[in-house]
Amino acid sequence: MILKYLIEKEFKLIQRNSFIKRIVIMLPVMVILLLPYAASYDIKDLNILITDNDNTLASRQLSHKILSGGYFRSVPMAPESYDIFLEIPRDFEKSLKSGSVINLNISANAINGNKAGLGTGYLNEIIKDFIGMQGPDISIINRYNPQMNYRVFMIPALMVMLLTIVCGFLPALNIVGEKEDGTIEQMNVTPVGKFQFIFAKLVPYWIIGLVILTITMILAFFIHNLVPAGSIATMFLASALFIVAISGFGLLISNNSSTLSQAMFVMFFFILIFILLSGLYTPIESMPEWAQFITKLNPLTYFIKIMRAVYLRGATLADIAPLLGYISIFVVIFNLWAILSYRKRS
Amino acid sequence: MRRYLIFVQKEFFHILRDKRTILILLLLPVIQIILFGFALSTEIRNANITVVDFAKDNLSAELTGKLAASEYFTVTPAGTVQEGEKSIQRGDADLMLVIDRDLKKGIVTGKPEIALQLVTDASDPNKARLVANYAAAIAGSSEILQDLSRIAGEKGNNIPPAGSVNITERMLYNPAMKGAYNFVPGVMGLILMLICSMMTSLSIVKEKERGTMDLIYVSPVKPLAVVTAKMIPYLALSLVNLITILLLSKFVLDVPIRGSLFLLSVLSVVFILVSLSIGLLISTLVSSQMAALVGSGMVLMMPTVVLSGMMFPIESMPLFLQVISTVIPARWYIEGVREVMIQGLGLSYIAKELLILTGMAMVLLVVSIRKFKARA
């Protein structure tokens, strides 16, 4: 019975906080509307400088082919303003006709190694295609995202990021906020138990998280035409579990902090590591072993894997059951720890 | 002057007594440098390829062996195509190579596309494209396959290539394609923004919340002096972090500082001024710590991470986002740092960035101090 009033109190507090309401609506809209366009490793419109020493029909055709593909755009001859530089040798057309070896030079500004790698890769493909020299003829079938749209890949991951930020930060600021306001003292003199106290704090974030998930899925459908390939119920189940895990972690941090800014920076520190070491932006297989080990201790790793598998590839509940199991372990550990770390005595 | 120094001292006490926060603030750049420097790489290595081998002859064995031997792939065999597709769906495999029973015959008759099939998980398009290219290139390097293709060519079943090309690639400034060259300037921008803007606004708003700000207002110290006194410790803290980042990147990550250190410092100080005045501005606009946190988090951190070019190339973004990115100070700072530090360019090349940042600093400082005075 106490529990019901406690939950009611938490809801009232959130309802009266105009900031939280604004975040719950605005943040998902901002993230789903803008981020897929910005947070993309889709490389296009690279600045290319082509020096054509041959200036024949063939070399001009090659330049045209490179510039018309959408990956490259021409820049004027100015040092340091180009990303890629291609030099077409003088005897390009002659060698092309006689079938002898053509020497081409590509230089790329490799400060951003990924951009340079993909850019030279594209350029290689275009040139080889132009010359009529392809690799071995292997048929390649691109499953699940035949248009190779990078936005599609990022959206489930952005949902994970959003849930982590909102359902991680808000609880982290919650209890410590009560400490700063002094209201925690009033709570400490009531007969409310540790479990009830933490549980009542969790419920609102759980609902906020699911509301955010719903909003983002609707937006993803209307703005990016992304229809979940798998079952929506499975995604909600996984998210419901994950939110409890990450909110529990937030409450744990909150319990152990004495000021808002402290809670905030500690949480920022952990969320940064959670997000970077989860495979959200860079593949886990490319990480060194010690980093791969850390990814195993990160609830986001499993949740991102689930969301991508279900949302994009239509994996079933049975496929992701082991991953759900891992998340449940985090749920238990974080929340037990949060309950145990709440002390009425200071 | 003495009174002023006492104020600065008070602010230093505030920061130094919160051990946990200061620890995090000093550790943050170190962790970021280590993570970005060693753990995060967009390069593809050890991609999981599942091979469904129906041919089971010396050629298919050679293909599988070559794939397994390369650093790009980890091979797991699958019995059926369904089994392979399932592991792609679960996310255990990134691509599947299906080798047909009539592999050799297919190649000799000039139809290798039937004999060899690659199925990729294109839900990650960049990775799919890269791994498919790698796999195709590795398969093409097989000697038995090349011999068979030659036979196919002699039989007239395959059109021989019109010419061959020898492409030399040169990676300028960063021949080893290390990610560090790209993100070190980004981390510098992020950390400075975080400490100068967020911490400054928080510390001022906190005094407002607690009511101690009113005490300061009634003291004989001028409001402007109060504010600058608040900024000095954060300035010091951010300089410490800046030095940490530069030392770590030079000696741990081997990122060179090619340009002038003086120019880099000037650029950084201007950026720090911009960040500090943003922090001051935020503190005049909000009245609770929570609002300051959320405000600086949403208005500053998110756009800084996403739109500054730190993680994602700006020129690939749609035009309206490129326009928005021009008002983000970190964008200009990061660009300037890249040019000075990595490319080793001189003043004339970063004049644009420096001018924009100076302009931003002046406007923001004037506006925020005015607003602050009006409230005081």
Side-chain angles (χ1 to χ4, degrees), chain A residues 230-291:
Chain A
S231 116
I232 293 177
T234 311
M235 274 188 292
F236 268 88
L237 176 71
S239 307
L241 255 176
F242 173 75
I243 295 167
V244 180
I246 200 76
S247 308
F249 184 74
L251 291 177
L252 170 64
I253 297 284
S254 204
N255 267 331
N256 287 303
S257 304
S258 45
T259 63
L260 266 177
S261 61
Q262 203 179 68
M264 148 83 201
F265 279 107
V266 175
M267 201 62 197
F268 184 82
F269 181 79
F270 279 106
I271 284 196
L272 192 82
I273 294 176
F274 278 163
I275 289 181
L276 289 178
L277 286 180
S278 66
L280 198 149
Y281 289 115
T282 59
I284 292 177
E285 307 92 74
S286 310
M287 294 177 188
E289 246 159 58
W290 59 267

Side-chain angles (χ1 to χ4, degrees), chain A residues 70-86:
Chain A
Y71 292 126
F72 300 101
R73 65 174 177 212
S74 179
V75 285
M77 183 94 164
E80 322 303 342
S81 67
Y82 57 83
D83 299 311
I84 289 195
F85 169 69
L86 168 72

Side-chain angles (χ1 to χ4, degrees), chain A residues 44-346:
Chain A
K44 52 182 193 222
D45 288 341
L46 285 170
N47 294 319
I48 190 170
L49 177 65
I50 303 175
T51 315
D52 188 351
N53 294 322
D54 195 31
N55 204 10
T56 52
L57 188 64
S59 70
R60 282 193 298 267
Q61 271 176 343
L62 177 62
S63 304
H64 178 73
K65 192 178 167 78
I66 290 168
L67 294 175
S68 61
Y71 292 126
F72 300 101
R73 65 174 177 212
S74 179
V75 285
M77 183 94 164
E80 322 303 342
S81 67
Y82 57 83
D83 299 311
I84 289 195
F85 169 69
L86 168 72
E87 193 179 5
I88 303 178
R90 184 171 297 174
D91 49 358
F92 178 73
E93 194 180 50
K94 217 165 71 190
S95 322
L96 191 66
K97 279 182 179 151
S98 65
S100 56
V101 177
I102 303 165
N103 285 303
L104 286 173
N105 285 317
I106 298 175
S107 305
N109 178 346
I111 292 181
N112 184 339
N114 183 46
K115 194 165 100 176
L118 277 170
T120 49
Y122 290 149
L123 195 56
N124 261 312
E125 271 176 48
I126 296 174
I127 293 169
K128 284 182 180 162
D129 188 47
F130 179 78
I131 294 173
M133 197 195 82
Q134 277 127 357
D137 240 339
I138 295 179
S139 72
I140 295 172
I141 301 166
N142 292 312
R143 275 291 144 80
Y144 306 118
N145 180 10
Q147 288 92 31
M148 303 286 244
N149 184 346
Y150 201 86
R151 270 186 283 151
V152 166
F153 178 59
M154 281 314 284
I155 287 171
L158 288 176
M159 290 177 179
V160 175
M161 207 173 85
L162 199 60
L163 287 181
T164 310
I165 290 175
V166 175
C167 300
F169 266 112
L170 291 183
L173 300 178
N174 183 309
I175 297 178
V176 78
E178 290 215 30
K179 279 187 203 167
E180 286 216 336
D181 290 342
T183 49
I184 194 104
E185 302 295 338
Q186 291 164 20
M187 189 56 69
N188 288 348
V189 295
T190 61
V192 173
K194 286 181 178 187
F195 172 79
Q196 289 164 320
F197 178 71
I198 296 291
F199 186 80
K201 294 260 177 218
L202 277 177
V203 172
Y205 299 112
W206 197 64
I207 290 173
I208 287 178
L210 293 180
V211 168
I212 287 180
L213 183 71
T214 316
I215 298 176
T216 49
M217 277 170 64
I218 294 172
L219 284 174
F221 173 71
F222 281 109
I223 296 169
H224 303 287
N225 289 322
L226 185 63
V227 186
S231 116
I232 293 177
T234 311
M235 274 188 292
F236 268 88
L237 176 71
S239 307
L241 255 176
F242 173 75
I243 295 167
V244 180
I246 200 76
S247 308
F249 184 74
L251 291 177
L252 170 64
I253 297 284
S254 204
N255 267 331
N256 287 303
S257 304
S258 45
T259 63
L260 266 177
S261 61
Q262 203 179 68
M264 148 83 201
F265 279 107
V266 175
M267 201 62 197
F268 184 82
F269 181 79
F270 279 106
I271 284 196
L272 192 82
I273 294 176
F274 278 163
I275 289 181
L276 289 178
L277 286 180
S278 66
L280 198 149
Y281 289 115
T282 59
I284 292 177
E285 307 92 74
S286 310
M287 294 177 188
E289 246 159 58
W290 59 267
Q292 291 199 21
F293 177 73
I294 299 177
T295 63
K296 293 204 174 81
L297 306 176
N298 178 356
L300 261 78
T301 310
Y302 306 102
F303 189 43
I304 285 174
K305 226 176 156 190
I306 291 178
M307 288 298 268
R308 281 189 174 143
V310 178
Y311 215 123
L312 304 177
R313 300 191 292 262
T316 59
L317 187 58
D319 292 329
I320 59 152
L323 298 171
L324 281 181
Y326 288 123
I327 294 184
S328 316
I329 297 175
F330 288 103
V331 169
V332 174
I333 293 176
F334 287 157
N335 287 291
L336 259 185
W337 198 350
I339 291 169
L340 292 177
S341 65
Y342 168 60
R343 291 210 170 77
K344 291 200 167 187
R345 268 174 255 263
S346 54

Side-chain angles (χ1 to χ4, degrees), chain B residues 29-73:
Chain B
V30 179
I31 295 281
Q32 281 201 329
I33 290 284
I34 290 174
L35 279 187
F36 277 109
F38 297 107
L40 303 178
S41 153
T42 43
E43 239 181 290
I44 311 286
R45 259 174 283 138
N46 306 325
N48 293 306
I49 184 167
T50 171
V51 177
V52 188
D53 184 358
F54 292 117
K56 293 203 169 57
D57 54 15
N58 59 342
L59 176 53
S60 74
E62 194 195 357
L63 289 177
T64 319
K66 270 189 178 296
L67 286 172
S70 89
E71 56 167 334
Y72 298 118
F73 294 107

Side-chain angles (χ1 to χ4, degrees), chain B residues 274-289:
Chain B
V274 174
S275 314
L276 285 173
S277 33
I278 292 178
L280 183 57
L281 190 63
I282 291 177
S283 72
T284 60
L285 296 175
V286 298
S287 50
S288 75
Q289 282 190 76

